[in-house]
Amino acid sequence: MEKGTSFLFSGITFDKKKFAADFSRFKEKKESDDLVESGKSEAEEGARPVKKRKRKATVADPVEGFNVFKTSKSSAQGIQQNDQEKSELSQAKKELNRQIERDALLRKKHKIHISGNNVPSPLENFSELSSRYGCESYLLHNLAELGFKEPTPIQRQAIPVLLSGRECFACAPTGSGKTLAFVCPMLMKLKHASKDGIRAVILCPTRELAAQTARESKKLAKGKKFYIKLLTKELLRSGDISKLPCDILISTPLRLRSAIRKKKLDLSRVEYLVLDESDKLFELGLVKQIDAVVKACSNPSIIRSLFSATLPDFVEELARTIMHDAVRVIIGRKNSASELIKQKLVFAGSEEGKLLALRQSFAESLNPPILLFVQSKERAKELYTELAFDDIRVDVIHADLSQSQRENAVDDFRAGKTWVLIATDVIARGMDFKGINCVINYDFPDSPAAYIHRIGRSGRAGRTGEAITIYTEDDVPFLRNIANVMAASGCEVPSWIMALPKLKWKKHRPQRDSISTKPKDQKE
DNA sequence: AAAAAAG
């Protein structure tokens, strides 16, 4: 949390300095205002005097909010001067309220929960992109071509929010189309390629996810000459990349920060910054890197957005301090698993028991592709050597492998060459493998969030999936947390598990015996 | 407490 605070304060310091002039001007203006916010927030508002701040104000009185929060152009009209204007205003109020009702209905239907000032209406369909926002035909064509027929709930709400130039934090289930929800408005807002430098940045926690996001973005931009670049080692080596045309840059945080430090690129013109898997990016160790990137994106009118399937409160709190008048979009229940996944718990007494159970279940029925998660790189290697002798096409991926080995592992799994992919949490988030039939948690996940992301590799884009979580005696204290997630997404959980005492956090993860069929002489 | 993230 201390690291988080540093992020928070550095962001604020930056804002205050940068917008000192605006800040003092704005401060005078709202001397008599009813604001009860801290100085930090004032600094932010100073940066954007046209935008309103208090969320609750709109919730309580949307119509008043509408007028007050309008942009500077219309703020003069907001002042009631004569009767005619008053009646026009009441007409507008009525129409606005009707619209608000329609929006509420659509949101209810798709389990879209929002908070924030003056949130734009959700999309009824993709063609509204052109009627409401003048979307170009290439994009609509690509959407159709790629098989996107109906917008998913997160797309319905997050796309209009971002198109309205609003910042956004979004929480929607795994496999529900978050990437499209931020790439689509990004392409629309950027309009066309330019050589003015980097205009949009997408940060992802792993290289695999960054590569996937780059590929998806390119598919969506097909037919339009956007420069979409993945920040790779090769690209960094290729000399002066600051002059390379780049509309959208996709990177992992550390690599981007090191490029910034070496003055290899300039982020001062970045208009859009997306933090994908934001809760992961806000984790200790990564948050400092994010901080550096956020600071380097010094364009005052930048639009930042956060996306994830899990959004802990502390991340929201942290995010709120750096975001301006952000809209919060939650689909379904916050921090919940996809309801398309059939989740099961399997008890295996010991490490040997696990391996035995796995072999037996593979012998009974093998329904690839299967993704198998273990706790550590070491255990991934062990299990791989153990299974490599079996008659199964098995592969392994973890961060100790070379980049090309990692790429091959992903590609082979995508191509169906690998039946069972053994993995650490390196591919637990965001990775979109088409039609994974089964996710096996060979080792118990670290946290409910890790669980949600791991099993979320299956059950994507409306397909169903299966998730099996193996547990041992050592895992029992943490079983309740996972069982809660299961129960919340409609899976059956034995009552004895639900009766287990609640556990707030783990102090120690279980020390596991090494994976082996051989009699364990190394034990004790 | 591990994994990931630079070279």
Side-chain angles (χ1 to χ4, degrees):
Chain A
M1 267 308 232
E2 296 137 55
K3 296 267 169 67
T5 327
S6 99
F7 172 62
L8 186 155
F9 285 131
S10 54
I12 299 310
T13 315
F14 160 75
D15 274 344
K16 258 191 183 157
K17 252 192 233 160
K18 187 88 189 169
F19 309 116
D22 283 324
F23 176 54
S24 52
R25 237 187 300 131
F26 186 61
K27 217 178 158 194
E28 285 165 34
K29 257 201 217 166
K30 64 188 191 70
E31 208 86 285
S32 58
D33 220 348
D34 57 338
L35 260 169
V36 264
E37 298 223 317
S38 66
K40 304 171 215 166
S41 306
E42 283 178 4
E44 279 169 39
E45 277 147 25
R48 293 171 191 226
V50 292
K51 285 180 180 172
K52 236 297 196 175
R53 54 281 164 190
K54 274 249 139 176
R55 276 204 326 202
K56 275 168 200 144
T58 2
V59 177
D61 187 355
V63 176
E64 224 251 308
F66 179 73
N67 293 322
V68 175
F69 303 155
K70 275 216 161 170
T71 55
S72 47
K73 266 180 275 164
S74 49
S75 60
Q77 296 162 11
I79 303 160
Q80 299 169 18
Q81 281 169 336
N82 56 45
D83 289 349
Q84 199 206 332
E85 280 188 17
K86 251 183 201 169
S87 95
E88 277 173 19
L89 210 61
S90 83
Q91 271 307 106
K93 276 184 186 180
K94 270 180 200 160
E95 178 46 42
L96 182 68
N97 282 328
R98 274 195 289 273
Q99 183 62 48
I100 286 171
E101 272 175 44
R102 281 198 297 273
D103 294 350
L105 227 62
L106 190 59
R107 288 190 185 115
K108 196 177 175 190
K109 186 178 163 194
H110 295 286
K111 298 181 182 164
I112 301 169
H113 308 287
I114 50 148
S115 43
N117 299 320
N118 201 18
V119 179
S121 306
L123 294 176
E124 301 251 13
N125 47 52
F126 278 129
S127 58
E128 269 186 39
L129 287 178
S130 59
S131 59
R132 273 168 62 185
Y133 297 101
C135 178
E136 286 180 60
S137 57
Y138 84 91
L139 189 52
L140 289 173
H141 174 83
N142 289 346
L143 285 172
E145 197 82 338
L146 294 166
F148 298 108
K149 294 190 178 78
E150 284 282 299
T152 63
I154 186 62
Q155 290 159 1
R156 284 178 199 274
Q157 188 58 77
I159 292 176
V161 166
L162 291 168
L163 285 175
S164 312
R166 298 285 296 278
E167 300 202 319
C168 162
F169 35 113
C171 183
T174 51
S176 69
K178 289 188 283 292
T179 307
L180 179 64
F182 59 74
V183 174
C184 172
M186 190 181 274
L187 293 174
M188 287 172 67
K189 288 292 238 178
L190 292 176
K191 284 204 167 68
H192 39 69
S194 95
K195 289 181 179 163
D196 294 345
I198 300 160
R199 295 159 69 205
V201 169
I202 303 172
L203 283 180
C204 306
T206 62
R207 288 177 230 163
E208 279 72 18
L209 185 54
Q212 176 184 287
T213 306
R215 207 170 40 242
E216 293 305 309
S217 307
K218 282 175 188 165
K219 277 192 208 163
L220 213 57
K222 199 184 159 199
K224 187 90 179 172
K225 205 189 168 196
F226 277 112
Y227 299 102
I228 299 171
K229 294 268 187 302
L230 179 63
L231 193 60
T232 57
K233 237 185 250 175
E234 294 71 45
L235 188 65
L236 279 165
R237 264 203 298 264
S238 70
D240 189 6
I241 57 167
S242 63
K243 291 188 180 65
L244 212 68
C246 179
D247 298 298
I248 303 177
L249 183 70
I250 299 149
S251 179
T252 47
L254 196 52
R255 186 166 281 169
L256 186 52
R257 187 186 68 174
S258 93
I260 294 166
R261 283 186 173 171
K262 291 177 193 155
K263 306 238 186 302
K264 286 209 161 199
L265 41 80
D266 171 24
L267 297 184
S268 65
R269 308 189 72 149
V270 172
E271 298 156 54
Y272 301 96
L273 175 63
V274 176
L275 307 184
D276 197 9
E277 305 294 343
S278 41
D279 55 328
K280 181 77 189 172
L281 294 179
F282 278 65
E283 247 177 39
L284 228 70
L286 275 167
V287 80
K288 273 191 162 178
Q289 301 158 25
I290 302 299
D291 192 16
V293 175
V294 169
K295 271 199 261 182
C297 296
S298 54
N299 184 340
S301 54
I302 189 166
I303 303 294
R304 298 160 181 157
S305 52
L306 269 59
F307 282 79
S308 186
T310 49
L311 198 61
D313 292 340
F314 91 92
V315 169
E316 274 201 48
E317 279 160 33
L318 210 57
R320 208 171 273 132
T321 61
I322 63 150
M323 290 170 89
H324 307 96
D325 193 34
V327 177
R328 178 174 178 267
V329 182
I330 311 283
I331 307 301
R333 287 187 50 186
K334 214 172 88 169
N335 304 332
S336 63
S338 162
E339 295 186 2
L340 298 157
I341 307 164
K342 213 169 94 187
Q343 304 164 59
K344 283 184 207 153
L345 289 167
V346 172
F347 179 73
S350 61
E351 278 305 318
E352 277 174 301
K354 281 190 187 180
L355 193 55
L356 233 62
L358 188 71
R359 284 217 165 92
Q360 197 185 333
S361 98
F362 282 174
E364 279 166 15
S365 74
L366 192 69
N367 193 11
I370 294 168
L371 192 51
L372 199 153
F373 284 106
V374 291
Q375 182 176 280
S376 66
K377 294 182 273 198
E378 218 36 62
R379 290 176 62 78
K381 293 169 200 169
E382 283 172 18
L383 188 60
Y384 176 66
T385 38
E386 199 56 58
L387 292 180
F389 298 105
D390 295 9
D391 239 0
I392 306 166
R393 286 175 165 270
V394 60
D395 201 1
V396 65
I397 185 168
H398 52 77
D400 274 356
L401 300 178
S402 74
Q403 193 52 39
S404 65
Q405 284 174 313
R406 285 168 62 164
E407 276 162 26
N408 286 339
V410 170
D411 290 346
D412 289 352
F413 191 52
R414 281 220 161 94
K417 286 187 209 165
T418 304
W419 299 344
V420 180
L421 182 60
I422 300 164
T424 58
D425 281 332
V426 66
I427 53 162
R429 282 170 174 265
M431 295 307 290
D432 188 37
F433 300 106
K434 295 280 174 302
I436 287 192
N437 282 313
C438 186
V439 171
I440 300 174
N441 288 315
Y442 189 83
D443 289 337
F444 210 70
D446 254 3
S447 64
Y451 176 75
I452 289 166
H453 287 279
R454 279 177 173 192
I455 70 168
R457 295 320 96 210
S458 79
R460 303 180 72 78
R463 286 197 193 85
T464 57
E466 188 186 16
I468 297 168
T469 302
I470 301 174
Y471 67 97
T472 62
E473 210 61 65
D474 295 337
D475 301 313
V476 171
F478 315 108
L479 207 48
R480 170 79 191 262
N481 283 333
I482 303 305
N484 286 343
V485 175
M486 292 175 64
S489 51
C491 292
E492 256 182 65
V493 180
S495 52
W496 70 268
I497 293 176
M498 296 310 280
L500 286 170
K502 283 181 190 171
L503 198 81
K504 268 265 158 84
W505 60 80
K506 292 188 189 190
K507 281 211 166 128
H508 304 287
R509 56 159 52 191
Q511 277 296 319
R512 304 193 187 281
D513 297 336
S514 62
I515 299 168
S516 174
T517 37
K518 288 175 211 120
K520 49 240 149 110
D521 23 68
Q522 69 268 67
K523 259 194 14 176
E524 284 163 70

